[in-house]
Amino acid sequence: MPLLDPATWQSAAPFTGGAAPVTEPATGARLATVELAAPRDVPAAAAAAEAARHAWAGAPYHERAAVLRRAGDLFTEHAAELRDWIVRETGSVPGKAAFELHVAAQECYEAAALASRPAGQVLPSEAPRLSYTRRVPAGVIGVIAPFNVPLVLAVRSVAPALALGNAVLLKPDARSAVSGGLAVGAVFAAAGLPAGLLHVLPGGAETGRALVSDPLVRVVSFTGSTASGRAVGELAGRGLKRAHLELGGNSALIVLADADLDAAVGQAAWGSFFHQGQICMTAGRHLVHASLYEEYVERLAAKAESLLVGDPFREQVHLGPLIDRGQLERVHALVEASAEQGAKIVAGGSYEGLFYRPTVLAGVGDDTAAYAEEVFGPVAPVRAFGTPEEAAALAAAGPYGLALGIVTRDTAAGLALADRIPTGIVHINDQTVNDEAVAPFGGVGASGTGARFGGESNLDAFTEVRWTTVRRDPAGYPF
């Protein structure tokens, strides 16, 4: 029996934001219709979540853990159905969709283990009393997830927040309302999550602002662009709320002089072209030692030209479509501006419909548009450097600090180089796009507020630490 039934979505949703189509980027076809949540729909959802969360927080930990484990199982049991939704709604190739489902299941299993983690510490005290700390649920958590990896980027916050005794309001991007929202809600409902604890609110920016502003929402988990993240952080700050922000990136892939060029080019192509470059960790700046530069550009361009671009649901391709026309126009504008600034388009630079060819740019400089900015498209700007010191300076330049890849036969030298470059994530002899449910994830600078997702970071993200003391007899004071 299917987990998702599009026939029920429009009639069942109590929202007032109007109907919106679920569109397949590859063909423009309408896959379904969903009801969007308007800003005025948020307070009711927040109130229901607040009412439901207390019994959930007081439930035995093994009951919460069982729901999370069942949710992980359901992502596997319904993988074929959910994979097709991810492929068609977001333009993902099947392998990327399968990876999302695997990580979503792992996120649930890891979250299940959080429910039984030690909840605090016994502290020494100068007074005759028991003194201890205890982690308690933060309350109602607001989760805002983007379109590009919608399932993972929703579940990685929803699952641990629920496991730790909170309730959640989830606002997926309207362009991925099914795979980033309705699918999550359906899985947790089928897993036995009590009613009222998870509310899926597909909508636009105004709905997101209402979610962040609602007084019952105490913690906000946001994944998206740096510009939007700044606005979320400012709005959350007005309410003295914690905002965990995982934002954009313009990550560097450094290829040192001793690198295995075959391996480096293969990693580079994946790092820049996977999911059409619509990944926050995408390798947006290729820094290559001058002795390898020309051959690297030639090989990467050949690799780009060999990749198949097309409809990932009906064809076997390497790249699918960009998410919408606005994104395509932005990518192409950056490529054209770069060419006007003197960069050479060695491969790609063209498109048909929403299908953008993987693109390699050579001869880029500090101010080249596609080098200086996050493109969020399949574009690989390549630049030469002479010394490791120059590579470190180039990689550290700019506002972002999400991921870093270094390719070298001398791993010690790679680690030493990485220490000079401020990023939240480092991979030696690998490209920049990696994720695991057990690992902390996040960036610094314009890439976000640090590792606030994954592993033990979830404990700090979704709980508060409460100090409690207990005395046998009431304390006395001099007045």
Side-chain angles (χ1 to χ4, degrees):
M1 181 178 178
L3 185 70
L4 299 173
D5 182 4
T8 68
W9 293 341
Q10 192 167 355
S11 60
F15 300 140
T16 62
V22 178
T23 303
E24 183 178 39
T27 64
R30 179 182 294 225
L31 302 175
T33 301
V34 299
E35 287 290 324
L36 298 182
R40 62 178 173 269
D41 298 319
V42 173
E50 174 66 19
R53 74 175 182 87
H54 298 282
W56 177 246
Y61 75 85
H62 65 271
E63 292 183 9
R64 298 199 305 272
V67 171
L68 271 295
R69 287 194 296 271
R70 179 61 181 148
D73 292 344
L74 287 167
F75 280 119
T76 300
E77 292 172 16
H78 292 271
E81 176 189 0
L82 296 175
R83 180 195 62 219
D84 286 351
W85 274 108
I86 295 171
V87 169
R88 300 190 72 183
E89 187 181 33
T90 71
S92 302
V93 297
K96 183 260 189 183
F99 174 76
E100 279 206 62
L101 287 158
H102 168 74
V103 173
Q106 293 302 313
E107 292 283 1
C108 290
Y109 298 142
E110 289 297 321
L114 292 175
S116 59
R117 291 295 301 272
Q121 294 178 313
V122 176
L123 305 175
S125 178
E126 295 180 352
R129 61 190 178 188
L130 171 64
S131 177
Y132 64 93
T133 62
R134 179 178 169 226
R135 287 189 179 273
V136 297
V140 178
I141 310 297
V143 177
I144 301 177
F147 72 84
N148 58 326
V149 193
L151 181 60
V152 168
L153 299 183
V155 172
R156 73 173 179 183
S157 292
V158 170
L162 290 173
L164 292 166
N166 302 283
V168 176
L169 306 185
L170 167 62
K171 193 204 82 64
D173 190 300
R175 293 170 291 183
S176 53
V178 179
S179 46
L182 297 175
V184 178
V187 163
F188 277 97
L193 185 71
L197 289 170
L198 174 60
H199 298 260
V200 179
L201 307 169
E206 289 298 326
T207 302
R209 278 189 279 271
L211 184 154
V212 175
S213 301
D214 192 281
L216 294 176
V217 173
R218 296 312 309 157
V219 173
V220 176
S221 174
F222 174 85
T223 305
S225 71
T226 297
S228 296
R230 291 185 193 280
V232 168
E234 179 180 353
L235 194 56
R238 294 177 193 171
L240 301 180
K241 306 177 183 186
R242 294 208 308 274
H244 306 304
L245 309 175
E246 198 267 286
L247 309 177
N250 193 10
S251 298
L253 177 65
I254 301 175
V255 181
L256 295 178
D258 66 345
D260 179 330
L261 198 54
D262 287 335
V265 169
Q267 293 171 358
W270 184 266
S272 283
F273 305 142
F274 175 64
H275 193 43
Q276 300 78 263
Q278 297 174 126
I279 303 286
C280 60
M281 299 169 283
T282 290
R285 295 176 295 160
H286 296 239
L287 306 177
V288 183
H289 191 268
S291 64
L292 303 176
Y293 174 78
E294 291 187 5
E295 187 175 359
Y296 181 95
V297 169
E298 180 182 346
R299 291 196 191 187
L300 184 57
K303 175 73 75 172
E305 296 286 4
S306 72
L307 298 178
L308 301 177
V309 181
D311 180 348
F313 186 64
R314 298 167 182 85
E315 307 170 56
Q316 188 171 356
V317 297
H318 300 99
L319 282 74
L322 294 173
I323 190 65
D324 59 19
R325 187 74 188 180
Q327 185 62 22
L328 181 133
E329 290 175 353
R330 182 181 185 280
V331 170
H332 193 56
L334 288 170
V335 171
E336 287 193 316
S338 299
E340 290 172 2
Q341 293 169 315
K344 181 181 179 182
I345 301 176
V346 187
S350 61
Y351 63 90
E352 183 176 345
L354 296 181
F355 301 100
Y356 205 90
R357 288 293 313 171
T359 299
V360 177
L361 300 176
V364 300
D366 289 345
D367 299 325
T368 303
Y371 175 87
E373 299 183 38
E374 181 184 32
V375 178
F376 227 62
V379 179
V382 188
R383 183 172 184 176
F385 67 85
T387 66
E389 292 73 22
E390 182 184 2
L394 290 172
Y400 296 104
L402 184 53
L404 171 68
I406 299 175
V407 187
T408 177
R409 288 184 168 89
D410 186 343
T411 55
L415 288 168
L417 181 61
D419 285 343
R420 304 174 61 179
I421 303 166
T423 60
I425 302 165
V426 173
H427 303 293
I428 306 299
N429 284 324
D430 203 351
Q431 47 76 43
T432 53
V433 181
N434 281 277
D435 192 16
E436 289 189 51
V438 298
F441 189 99
V444 298
S447 292
T449 53
R452 298 294 184 267
F453 304 93
E456 293 190 356
S457 298
N458 289 317
L459 292 168
D460 293 328
F462 302 119
T463 65
E464 304 287 359
V465 177
R466 173 182 292 171
W467 179 38
T468 301
T469 69
V470 180
R471 301 177 73 117
R472 176 179 297 175
D473 300 309
Y477 293 92
F479 63 87

